[in-house]
Amino acid sequence: MRSLETELALHAAALRAMARALVGAQDAEDLVQETALQALRRPPARPGPVSGWLISILHHFAGKQRRSWHRRQWHEPRAPQRQAPLSPDRIAEHRDTVARLHAAFMAVAEPFRGTL
């Protein structure tokens, strides 16, 4: 009976090939590493061939990765964009506008100001 580490080493090339087919070459290595970590954290319940078990773990993580990518593609364009900080001139202009608006509001006669 071979150890799980030995089985992972034996199946590494096949797992990498499948990962490249599922998520592309750029993310394949991360997917294989996630698969190996999960396999080592939670070894199979029964002894025996593990190739099918490892492939199912790989498929599971590939699905999670694709769903996460699709969610990011949908949410990121809709996220509010970070605005550049205002320049000192813009801050002064804003304060001046607020002060003029306040003065104009306070100049309105009382019965009307209460309504506003």
Side-chain angles (χ1 to χ4, degrees):
M1 184 169 140
R2 292 182 253 186
S3 71
L4 185 55
E5 291 84 2
T6 304
E7 291 287 339
L8 283 167
L10 288 172
H11 296 292
L15 290 172
R16 278 190 198 91
M18 182 163 286
R20 278 192 300 276
L22 291 171
V23 297
Q26 184 176 4
D27 297 322
E29 193 61 36
D30 288 340
L31 184 58
V32 172
Q33 288 178 11
E34 282 292 324
T35 301
L37 283 173
Q38 181 67 16
L40 292 169
R41 286 183 188 136
R42 303 184 84 193
R46 292 178 263 139
V50 295
S51 60
W53 177 71
L54 289 171
I55 288 171
S56 69
I57 294 172
L58 185 89
H59 271 276
H60 172 76
F61 280 114
K64 283 180 69 173
Q65 189 172 349
R66 280 192 306 270
R67 286 186 300 276
S68 175
W69 183 84
H70 284 292
R71 278 192 302 270
R72 275 194 313 277
Q73 295 303 309
W74 193 86
H75 285 287
E76 284 178 359
R78 290 158 181 81
Q81 299 298 316
R82 188 180 273 182
Q83 295 182 354
L86 295 176
S87 68
D89 291 339
R90 282 289 285 150
I91 292 171
E93 182 182 329
H94 179 72
R95 285 185 181 155
D96 182 50
T97 301
V98 169
R100 283 186 287 132
L101 180 62
H102 184 309
F105 178 74
M106 295 308 287
V108 173
E110 181 46 50
F112 302 109
R113 188 174 46 214
T115 304
L116 292 175

